[in-house]
Amino acid sequence: MFKTYLKTAWRNVMKSKMFSLINIVGLSVGLTCCILITLYILNETSYDAHHKNAGNIYQVGSEFTGLGNFKKLPNTPAALGETMQHVFPEIEQTTRIARLYSEDKTLLQYNEGNGAVKSFYETKGFLADSTFFRMFSYNFAEGDPQSALNNPNTVVLSDDVAKKIFGSQPALHKVIHISSSTNGDHDFLVTGVFRPVNKPSHIDGRFFMSMMGGNMEQAINRQGANLATNNYFFTYLQLKPGANVANLVAKFPAFIDKYAGKDLKAVGFSKKQFLVPLRQIHLTEDVKNNVTPGGSVTYLYILGSIALFILLIACINFMNLATAQSAKRSAEVGIRKVLGAEKKWLVMQFLGEAVLMSLFALLLAFAFARLLLPLFNVVSGKQLTLSFTENIGLIAVFAALAVITGLIAGSYPAFYLSSFNPAKVLKGKFSNSLSAITLRRALVVFQFIISVVLIIASVVINAQMKFLRSADLGFEQNRQIVIPLRSGHAKEMYGALKDALLSRSYISNVGASLYYPGISNAADNIFFKDGESMQQGKDVKMNYIDTRFLQTLGIKPLAGRLFSDDYYAQDTTIAAVVLNESAIKALGFANAQQAINQKLHFTFDDSMYNFNIAGVVKDFHYEDLHLPIGPFGFMLNVPPQFNYAIVHIKPGDMAAALQAVQNTWHTLNATEPFDYSFLDKDFQENYDAENKLSAIVGDFTILAILISCLGLFGLATFSAEQRIKEIGVRKVLGASVTSIVALLSKDFLKLVGIAVIIASPLAWLIMSKWLQSFTYRTHISWMVFLITTLAALLMALLTISFQAIRAAVANPVKSLRTE
């Protein structure tokens, strides 16, 4: 009997080719979306799972309060981990890493021995303790992970960096020169090469230098046992098996009070320490500025919901089309029942047909997923793979999902069709019931509610991204070239480079600094006014610049003056500082003019340093628009050891200007490569996650609309077939093609209109909440809903009109000739 039902199911699939194609394509597209998004979600939730001791490793975070602000950061002072290990027996070992926070790229050089020096910039470099590779699992191709960083001035490279430097030659025990604005210019001995595994990690380093042996070691030694300041290390604890994490964390307040209380009181703020499990670091959203940008649980819920809704749309198509075709299959059901078929076997037959189509759709879905995965990787910024050997569990889950999808999608049609009264059906008294028609209409409305919400979401996300790209940042970001100055020689030659470039007609200005807007800035001071103490001070982010930096960025004074060559000697003598409006307000000055020439103070290591406010500038965005503008200040860098040169190029031939700048660089520095980036593009990289979300939501919105329109097309086709004689009679009586098209279209357009009315406020609530994650954001205009309404109605009309026009222009004689 099963074989008979299987044959019948296949014949029915082949008999209604168009409806079967719509169902199979719709389900396959829905399942494809689910597969791709599931791969993405699995990747996001599997960060650091491959490390052998992942279950016992925790990152130490710091929660700062006081000084008028609150911060929850993943950073700690240098001595925290070692001190904790001595105090708490639960800790088996600790390790630290530090970002090269003063640079976005690092200069690596290798003397090949014949006078030739191989030089290139490399990203994602870190400083690490000797215990780093003992705690974290890395696949070493050369060297020993247990001892690779035991000695000062050692470095471990990824295999692609090693190949870039040494080609096919072994890298072990060779010496390279690394120029870092954070760690200085030093030679390093290669003591290890690792092969990156295709597993995600929040530590995505391409090379790791020993913490000891460079400028960082000197900074650590200067800080000593102070556990209050210089929180720029990432500290990890590996706990002993069975250690009680909650009990350990409960001991932290007493620990901080004992070992950091005095230093914290001196600087005027307090802090708490907390632990984040290694596998949760990537998706811990309330801890900002981690080793690498974290993910978003909210975004995962959004993408998961999109996948589920698209699959629901495909299931709705199946249910709609199956119940719509019930009239065609009513005679079959009646005959089977007369011949003795029980209801349960009829239910099994119709469910079997649904599952058969669902499994066939799954095969297509895996083929589509393999085909689209490279494109999805580009859009999502991931390196996802789909292998039938590595993802056997996932394939099994989706096979089960396909069966469940078939059962859900086929459930209503199965029970609906199997309930027909055979006597009525065989007498020709069957017609679609009101409940079936009402259900189809409700499901069409639900489909388009989902589609309209996705359309509005896509429009709002794109509007916000456009706002971020076009927002006034408070400085001139266009035509600004950022040139890294990494080596000691590059820093020393900056003066000559500046003079040479300023003599060129295509250069508007040249400035230099430690940091520039949009990148991470670790420098800050706690300023307080005359008559106040350090405890009353305010935390002010700082940048150390030359006399032309502010003018190069087009930042103008609100009161007082900017730095300039004319005042250089005076400003370095009095330690002049230029502050933004937010800093002036935070420090308690009534207005910008009142702050000019006022004294500020900063205490460090029991010494007081005095500053003089020379100027005040308008607030500008030194960080991305997720964050509010906070207190910010500038000082002249003495001596002029800068990390970046900023070159403002005049309007004209950009390519020619860049070539001329490069030639000037090589004239002054023949041994180092010329590298640059554009300031505006660097700033926009802060919105990488939102750009990816925008692209993913946009693409899947198109797919949701496609599936909805496929279902609408199928229903329009069925409606036209059911009313073919009515249309023939109307044409004979003089009805025009336009009136018949309107007759067939209006019912569907009403359903789409109802969907828009329901979806609009729902989408507004969802997207308003999403926009709240930005301090500076666009508003949702009524035009968004108007455009969406028109787009939804137009898409529905275009979908319906093909079948409506086809039915309207048909010859009425043929329509009325046969019963």
Side-chain angles (χ1 to χ4, degrees):
M1 185 172 289
F2 175 77
K3 185 177 180 181
T4 302
Y5 282 149
L6 188 63
K7 285 182 179 179
T8 304
W10 178 251
R11 286 170 184 165
N12 281 315
V13 168
M14 297 306 294
K15 185 178 179 180
S16 304
K17 291 186 177 66
M18 189 188 73
F19 290 106
S20 299
L21 181 64
I22 289 174
N23 277 330
I24 291 171
V25 170
L27 280 172
S28 64
V29 172
L31 287 167
T32 300
C33 294
C34 282
I35 291 169
L36 294 176
I37 290 178
T38 299
L39 288 172
Y40 182 91
I41 292 174
L42 288 175
N43 179 273
E44 284 288 288
T45 55
S46 64
Y47 268 66
D48 297 301
H50 62 283
H51 293 294
K52 180 181 177 182
N53 300 306
N56 293 323
I57 299 175
Y58 296 81
Q59 185 185 65
V60 184
S62 303
E63 187 177 306
F64 299 91
T65 56
L67 303 177
N69 57 27
F70 168 85
K71 296 179 182 177
K72 202 170 184 181
L73 299 173
N75 311 105
T76 70
L80 182 70
E82 184 179 1
T83 307
M84 281 187 165
Q85 188 172 6
H86 288 153
V87 174
F88 301 122
E90 296 93 332
I91 299 174
E92 184 171 314
Q93 65 174 336
T94 68
T95 197
R96 300 168 300 184
I97 61 171
R99 275 190 308 213
L100 302 178
Y101 55 83
S102 294
E103 62 216 64
D104 58 344
K105 54 179 73 76
T106 308
L107 180 63
L108 276 62
Q109 295 177 296
Y110 174 60
N111 191 329
E112 298 181 287
N114 55 359
V117 177
K118 187 178 289 186
S119 301
F120 60 90
Y121 286 100
E122 193 56 70
T123 60
K124 300 180 180 178
F126 291 91
L127 294 158
D129 275 335
S130 59
T131 53
F132 177 77
F133 290 110
R134 299 174 205 161
M135 183 180 293
F136 293 96
S137 305
Y138 281 77
N139 181 21
F140 269 56
E142 298 180 46
D144 179 9
Q146 299 297 315
S147 59
L149 296 179
N150 280 359
N151 297 318
N153 296 99
T154 51
V155 64
V156 173
L157 309 174
S158 64
D159 63 348
D160 55 338
V161 173
K163 289 175 183 176
K164 193 184 294 186
I165 302 173
F166 306 111
S168 59
Q169 298 297 314
L172 204 62
H173 304 314
K174 290 189 169 68
V175 176
I176 62 174
H177 188 78
I178 301 179
S179 298
S180 163
S181 294
T182 306
N183 200 47
D185 278 356
H186 301 282
D187 287 336
F188 285 82
L189 179 69
V190 179
T191 53
V193 176
F194 65 89
R195 295 191 183 98
V197 294
N198 190 27
K199 305 288 184 183
S201 174
H202 82 287
I203 303 173
D204 61 346
R206 291 172 58 79
F207 65 96
F208 295 87
M209 295 180 284
S210 59
M211 192 75 73
M212 301 294 108
N215 294 4
M216 185 58 73
E217 180 181 10
Q218 300 170 22
I220 291 172
N221 292 337
R222 284 196 301 269
Q223 186 178 5
N226 188 308
L227 298 184
T229 58
N230 293 328
N231 294 271
Y232 43 70
F233 294 89
F234 300 95
T235 299
Y236 300 87
L237 310 179
Q238 182 180 330
L239 305 187
K240 294 176 181 177
N244 190 310
V245 180
N247 287 347
L248 175 61
V249 174
K251 300 175 187 177
F252 285 174
F255 169 84
I256 291 297
D257 185 60
K258 180 178 180 179
Y259 292 95
K262 181 181 177 181
D263 292 328
L264 287 169
K265 186 177 180 180
V267 295
F269 61 85
S270 60
K271 72 170 181 173
K272 301 176 183 177
Q273 306 297 158
F274 59 90
L275 297 180
V276 180
L278 178 65
R279 292 195 59 183
Q280 295 179 20
I281 291 173
H282 179 67
L283 293 176
T284 301
E285 296 183 65
D286 60 338
V287 181
K288 306 297 184 183
N289 201 29
N290 218 306
V291 181
T292 53
S296 170
V297 176
T298 303
Y299 287 178
L300 295 188
Y301 279 122
I302 290 172
L303 294 176
S305 300
I306 289 173
L308 177 62
F309 286 142
I310 289 177
L311 189 58
L312 274 176
I313 291 173
C315 290
I316 288 169
N317 277 354
F318 186 96
M319 294 172 71
N320 272 345
L321 294 177
T323 55
Q325 293 181 86
S326 57
K328 291 184 177 181
R329 303 199 62 180
S330 58
E332 175 194 340
V333 172
I335 292 170
R336 285 184 179 276
K337 282 197 168 187
V338 169
L339 293 176
E342 296 180 22
K343 181 176 180 178
K344 66 178 182 179
W345 291 109
L346 291 172
V347 169
M348 288 182 62
Q349 177 191 340
F350 293 124
L351 287 178
E353 290 179 17
V355 171
L356 180 66
M357 279 200 287
S358 186
L359 290 174
F360 189 60
L362 179 65
L363 294 176
L364 281 178
F366 276 118
F368 290 158
R370 289 289 297 270
L371 187 66
L372 295 173
L373 196 56
L375 179 61
F376 185 71
N377 282 336
V378 172
V379 173
S380 64
K382 297 287 185 181
Q383 294 297 321
L384 307 176
T385 58
L386 180 59
S387 167
F388 293 107
T389 54
E390 294 181 6
N391 301 106
I392 187 67
L394 182 66
I395 292 170
V397 168
F398 271 98
L401 178 62
V403 172
I404 293 170
T405 299
L407 293 174
I408 293 173
S411 59
Y412 181 81
F415 288 102
Y416 175 69
L417 291 171
S418 63
S419 66
F420 290 164
N421 186 317
K424 290 183 178 180
V425 166
L426 295 176
K427 288 179 181 179
K429 294 182 178 181
F430 169 78
S431 63
N432 273 299
S433 68
L434 180 62
S435 61
I437 295 171
T438 302
L439 177 66
R440 284 203 299 274
R441 289 176 176 174
L443 292 177
V444 169
V445 170
F446 183 71
Q447 275 187 316
F448 273 88
I449 287 174
I450 296 171
S451 297
V452 170
V453 168
L454 289 176
I455 293 171
I456 293 174
S458 184
V459 171
V460 172
I461 292 172
N462 279 298
Q464 176 64 11
M465 299 316 299
K466 183 179 180 180
F467 173 81
L468 295 176
R469 286 190 291 268
S470 60
D472 181 9
L473 300 178
F475 62 89
E476 178 57 56
Q477 59 174 321
N478 297 319
R479 308 184 71 81
Q480 301 278 16
I481 308 303
V482 181
I483 302 173
L485 305 172
R486 289 294 167 265
S487 69
H489 176 57
K491 296 176 188 294
E492 289 170 4
M493 75 156 195
Y494 165 69
L497 177 68
K498 177 183 69 174
D499 293 340
L501 292 176
L502 287 173
S503 66
R504 309 291 184 181
S505 60
Y506 46 81
I507 301 297
S508 175
N509 215 332
V510 180
S513 64
L514 287 189
Y515 310 98
Y516 61 91
I519 66 169
S520 177
N521 182 342
D524 63 345
N525 280 346
I526 300 172
F527 286 129
F528 57 94
K529 298 188 296 184
D530 282 336
E532 296 181 345
S533 66
M534 189 76 162
Q535 287 74 20
Q536 296 169 286
K538 302 300 177 185
D539 190 16
V540 179
K541 281 279 187 181
M542 296 297 297
N543 193 5
Y544 297 88
I545 62 176
D546 75 343
T547 56
R548 306 182 73 97
F549 178 80
L550 294 173
Q551 293 87 336
T552 301
L553 291 185
I555 296 175
K556 294 181 169 47
L558 189 64
R561 60 177 175 80
L562 304 181
F563 301 122
S564 68
D565 292 334
D566 295 336
Y567 289 94
Y568 180 79
Q570 176 183 329
D571 287 342
T572 53
T573 301
I574 65 172
V577 60
V578 173
L579 301 176
N580 70 350
E581 294 174 278
S582 292
I584 295 302
K585 291 175 184 176
L587 289 165
F589 293 105
N591 54 60
Q593 192 59 49
Q594 185 193 71
I596 300 304
N597 294 323
Q598 295 297 311
K599 301 291 184 184
L600 295 177
H601 311 283
F602 170 63
T603 301
F604 182 72
D605 286 344
D606 297 325
S607 298
M608 181 177 289
Y609 299 87
N610 303 313
F611 304 87
N612 186 281
I613 301 176
V616 178
V617 298
K618 289 184 177 182
D619 280 345
F620 67 96
H621 293 279
Y622 59 89
E623 294 177 304
D624 64 81
L625 273 67
H626 287 98
L627 304 170
I629 297 174
F632 200 90
F634 299 93
M635 287 187 65
L636 289 174
N637 201 12
V638 185
Q641 295 291 309
F642 302 108
N643 296 335
Y644 300 95
I646 312 293
V647 181
H648 191 190
I649 296 179
K650 294 178 181 178
D653 189 342
M654 177 62 76
L658 284 172
Q659 185 61 52
V661 173
Q662 180 176 347
N663 293 340
T664 304
W665 172 277
H666 285 308
T667 300
L668 298 169
N669 190 351
T671 61
E672 295 179 23
F674 173 73
D675 195 73
Y676 70 92
S677 61
F678 291 99
L679 176 57
D680 54 348
K681 291 183 178 179
D682 289 350
F683 202 95
Q684 290 300 316
E685 287 180 3
N686 289 294
Y687 312 120
D688 185 54
E690 287 75 21
N691 283 323
K692 290 173 183 174
L693 178 69
S694 175
I696 292 172
V697 171
D699 290 344
F700 284 119
T701 298
I702 293 171
L703 292 177
I705 294 168
L706 173 64
I707 298 172
S708 296
C709 289
L710 273 175
L712 199 61
F713 178 82
L715 287 177
T717 302
F718 173 77
S719 177
E721 289 178 359
Q722 288 292 94
R723 302 177 71 175
I724 193 72
K725 289 183 173 56
E726 176 193 343
I727 294 169
V729 171
R730 287 179 179 274
K731 289 195 71 175
V732 168
L733 295 176
S736 65
V737 171
T738 304
S739 65
I740 292 173
V741 170
L743 175 71
L744 294 174
S745 302
K746 66 179 182 179
D747 288 340
F748 291 109
L749 294 179
K750 284 179 184 177
L751 298 179
V752 175
I754 292 170
V756 170
I757 292 171
I758 297 172
S760 294
L762 181 62
W764 182 85
L765 287 172
I766 294 170
M767 297 316 298
S768 294
K769 186 173 182 180
W770 177 76
L771 286 172
Q772 288 173 9
S773 65
F774 297 86
T775 303
Y776 305 92
R777 51 187 177 266
T778 188
H779 68 282
I780 304 177
S781 167
W782 63 269
M783 285 294 293
V784 171
F785 301 102
L786 177 62
I787 292 170
T788 302
T789 301
L790 294 175
L793 291 173
L794 180 62
M795 286 184 295
L797 184 61
L798 290 175
T799 303
I800 299 162
S801 61
F802 175 79
Q803 286 298 337
I805 294 171
R806 183 182 174 189
V809 300
N811 189 338
V813 176
K814 292 182 179 179
S815 302
L816 298 172
R817 181 178 296 164
T818 59
E819 286 294 329

